[in-house]
Amino acid sequence: IVGSPWSERVSGVFAYESSKVDWCEENYRHSEHVVEYFNTVSNLIFFIISPMMLYLLHPYARERHQAVHLVWLMMVFVGVFSLYFHMTLSFLGQMLDELSILWVLALGYALWFPRRRFPSFIKDRSFGRLVLIITALTTVSSFVKPTANAYVLNVFGLQLLYVLRMEMKQYALRLAKRMVALWVLAITCWISDRFGCAFWQELNFCYLHGIWHILIVMAVAYGTTLIAFLDASYEIPYSLPGIQYWPCDQWEVGLPHIVLKGNTKLRKEC
């Protein structure tokens, strides 16, 4: 019913600045239609890196599981929802942004969590269902206190780093160190923008959250490549997986990806 409290509440979810989260960048500085201009534009990195990683990881996904592509397809949605959130600072935009990140993490757990580290009561197929159930419950509970969602997501990220540390191979340490460095820089930018806004406003430099977008996409690129390499080393060792960088393998700041040097036709059939 138009004009009813329910309709007003629903319309408020879509309203500009209906979210309780407001980042450090000055609002409406460059456009009357875009609340946080640089934070919005910086999301373009998602639409550049995601298709490239889909292409670079395709040989691994074709040999291991096509579902691997879902991670970077979901990263495109993260970019779309993050762009919408920073353009409007609406409550709906905030929830879509945070929940899309949650589902990317859930996909990563379901696809790559090492089978040998499953609890004894969990079988291979039931683990994915368990992750789905937990993620669905977390999605619902995230509406209880939305301002806490970002902190919970960062905790999940820390736990994933711990699992990677447990699985680390010696010759993957260099890639892992770069990933951790990118992640630490990204989190530093996020925390500085969230809690040190007054300081950065004095310096007239309120772009740290936008820089966080760029750094976290690169950290995810390094992280997914590292996880895929470890997974391939254990699950399809006959493919002789290796790590290379695009556009030039000698550039340690390029996009990492998996190369399969072995003959996949030697795969053991059961």
Side-chain angles (χ1 to χ4, degrees), residues 209-224:
H209 191 78
I211 296 172
W212 139 269
H213 289 155
I214 298 169
L215 290 173
I216 204 64
V217 171
M218 293 303 298
V220 172
Y222 276 70
T224 52

Side-chain angles (χ1 to χ4, degrees), residues 154 157-158 161 178-188 216 219:
N154 283 322
L158 280 172
L161 285 176
R178 296 186 195 110
M179 180 205 68
V180 171
L182 284 167
W183 188 84
V184 169
L185 284 173
I187 293 297
T188 301
I216 204 64

Side-chain angles (χ1 to χ4, degrees), residues 39 41-54 57 71-72 74-80 82 97 101 104 178-179 182-183 185-187 209-225 254-256:
N39 287 350
V41 172
S42 62
N43 285 290
L44 293 176
I45 190 70
F46 287 91
F47 309 116
I48 297 172
I49 299 300
S50 297
M52 295 175 69
M53 292 302 297
L54 281 169
L57 290 177
V71 173
W72 282 100
M74 277 299 300
M75 286 293 288
V76 174
F77 284 98
V78 172
V80 170
S82 180
D97 180 21
I101 297 172
V104 168
R178 296 186 195 110
M179 180 205 68
L182 284 167
W183 188 84
L185 284 173
I187 293 297
H209 191 78
I211 296 172
W212 139 269
H213 289 155
I214 298 169
L215 290 173
I216 204 64
V217 171
M218 293 303 298
V220 172
Y222 276 70
T224 52
T225 301
L255 282 178

Side-chain angles (χ1 to χ4, degrees), residues 248-261:
C248 178
D249 194 34
Q250 296 178 347
W251 293 6
E252 296 187 354
V253 294
L255 282 178
H257 59 98
I258 302 296
V259 291
L260 304 180
K261 303 174 184 178

Side-chain angles (χ1 to χ4, degrees), residues 196-217:
C197 183
F199 172 77
W200 295 108
Q201 284 179 339
E202 287 291 329
L203 298 179
N204 197 27
F205 189 84
C206 303
Y207 309 113
L208 288 180
H209 191 78
I211 296 172
W212 139 269
H213 289 155
I214 298 169
L215 290 173
I216 204 64
V217 171

Side-chain angles (χ1 to χ4, degrees), residues 102-113 118 122 124-139:
L102 171 66
W103 281 91
V104 168
L105 290 171
L107 275 172
Y109 273 100
L111 288 171
W112 286 312
F113 196 88
F118 286 178
I122 293 180
D124 288 4
R125 293 183 180 180
S126 63
F127 180 75
R129 295 171 188 167
L130 178 63
V131 171
L132 177 62
I133 293 171
I134 293 174
T135 307
L137 292 174
T138 306
T139 298

